[in-house]
Amino acid sequence: MSKDILKISKDSNVYFNLIEDYFVTHTHAPHIIAGPCCIENEEVLDATAKGLYELGIRFLRAGVFKPRTSPYDFQGIGIKGLEILKEVGLRYAMFTVSEIVDVRHLETMIDNVDLLQIGSRNMQNFELLKEVGRSGHPVLLKRGMGASVEEFKMAAEYMACEGNRHIIMCERGIRTFETATRNTLDIACPAILKRETKLPVVVDLSHSLGRKDILPDVAKAVVAMGIDGLMVEVHSDVQNALSDNSQQLSLDEFEKFLDAIDMLEERLV
Ligand code: PEP
Ligand code: MN
């Protein structure tokens, strides 16, 4: 089997551009995927989704399984969160994005989520990649925090080999000696991916940076590169969020963020 399906698909134009062709209801690129780190309850998700919808956002992210560093931290509400996510997504006609952590959840996740996320900690979970690949379901693949660009591309290749071309690549920062940010955003990675694959590329600002103050500056830089999307964590009641509360934006902060990167007005028209 060829090792270069993604390159071949670029040449032969086989690749079906997920963001532009599959999620056709929203014409503004770069697309913004926003929402809480995880679903805590329906009330918070609904309030967040409503606020985002009113700001023109059409992709709602929210985890139900949270792979946390400490087993004592909040782990997400699990399968029952999927029903909430589906309902809220339908209520506001938003596409939903949520992380899959276990192949045993695949069928249920597919039934309830528009775009499966494979998280940083699972980027090289090859059995998961193969199963999601076989499913053909749209997937957002995050870069492993210790993965090279080549390893990231090969993880996508695993899914492509099984027939899934509906893959969005997501740079979310890598581990370095730097402590000023949660991870180090490697902006060369999206540039390389744009050049060497035909896959849409998204930058997750929240998990890359882990802080809010520099979000607009960094967003402007990656938008200027021509990336296809941004991911930002937003929570309607951020002070009481159960995870990542130093990096999640309130709805007001998110509105200011959109304004600061000149993306507010176009979304409201
Ligand atoms: C997330 O997006 O919720 C998440 C856990 O991100 P990552 O896998 O990039 O750490
Ligand atoms: Mn998070």
Side-chain angles (χ1 to χ4, degrees):
M1 193 182 292
S2 164
K3 282 172 69 183
D4 282 322
I5 286 180
L6 300 180
K7 272 193 214 144
I8 291 165
S9 67
K10 179 175 184 175
D11 296 341
S12 61
N13 231 353
V14 177
Y15 181 67
F16 169 68
N17 188 325
L18 180 80
I19 287 190
E20 280 163 20
D21 293 339
Y22 186 85
F23 292 148
V24 285
T25 59
H26 194 338
T27 52
H28 303 301
H31 299 271
I32 297 185
I33 302 169
C37 184
C38 57
I39 298 179
E40 293 157 11
N41 55 57
E42 177 158 3
E43 199 188 340
V44 171
L45 189 69
D46 182 271
T48 310
K50 183 169 188 290
L52 292 172
Y53 177 78
E54 285 167 0
L55 292 169
I57 305 305
R58 297 293 175 266
F59 295 89
L60 176 66
R61 62 143 289 144
V64 297
F65 300 103
K66 295 308 296 178
R68 305 298 301 279
T69 303
S70 164
Y72 304 110
D73 286 342
F74 177 60
Q75 302 286 311
I77 64 172
I79 291 283
K80 66 175 185 286
L82 291 177
E83 220 170 285
I84 298 176
L85 182 60
K86 186 172 185 171
E87 272 176 28
V88 173
L90 288 172
R91 195 170 301 149
Y92 298 104
M94 292 171 90
F95 296 107
T96 57
V97 185
S98 195
E99 178 169 351
I100 179 164
V101 295
D102 190 321
V103 284
R104 290 171 298 182
H105 302 148
L106 184 59
E107 229 174 284
T108 321
M109 295 286 296
I110 287 175
D111 286 345
N112 290 285
V113 179
D114 296 310
L115 185 56
L116 300 176
Q117 177 169 314
I118 295 185
S120 188
R121 291 156 192 81
N122 273 310
M123 189 207 81
Q124 285 189 315
N125 180 339
F126 296 114
E127 293 313 309
L128 183 61
L129 293 173
K130 285 190 230 168
E131 284 297 328
V132 171
R134 280 177 210 128
S135 79
H137 201 70
V139 55
L140 180 136
L141 176 66
K142 288 202 160 193
R143 181 178 181 181
M145 60 189 80
S148 66
V149 175
E150 185 60 20
E151 286 164 339
F152 189 21
K153 279 168 56 187
M154 284 303 117
E157 198 75 22
Y158 261 92
M159 294 192 282
C161 284
E162 299 296 333
N164 195 343
R165 305 291 162 85
H166 308 316
I167 306 166
I168 297 172
M169 304 294 272
C170 180
E171 164 65 38
R172 48 78 74 206
I174 49 175
R175 278 215 169 135
T176 68
F177 56 82
E178 183 56 73
T179 53
T181 51
R182 181 173 176 178
N183 291 286
T184 296
L185 175 59
D186 175 12
I187 62 166
C189 173
I192 295 168
L193 294 175
K194 294 299 289 173
R195 213 165 258 275
E196 297 186 357
T197 78
K198 207 172 161 53
L199 302 174
V201 182
V202 166
V203 171
D204 175 348
L205 295 169
S206 298
H207 292 91
S208 295
L209 305 175
R211 52 191 280 180
K212 308 178 189 187
D213 54 343
I214 55 173
L215 231 57
D217 296 341
V218 179
K220 281 182 205 161
V222 295
V223 168
M225 293 174 67
I227 50 138
D228 302 285
L230 296 172
M231 180 180 276
V232 185
E233 283 189 337
V234 182
H235 191 292
S236 64
D237 182 16
V238 75
Q239 282 83 4
N240 295 310
L242 297 179
S243 58
D244 284 353
N245 46 6
S246 60
Q247 74 188 32
Q248 301 203 66
L249 301 184
S250 67
L251 284 160
D252 281 351
E253 287 169 331
F254 181 65
E255 183 168 353
K256 288 196 185 92
F257 162 76
L258 288 181
D259 204 17
I261 62 170
D262 291 331
M263 285 196 186
L264 186 58
E265 272 178 35
E266 65 174 36
R267 277 161 207 282
L268 296 179
V269 292

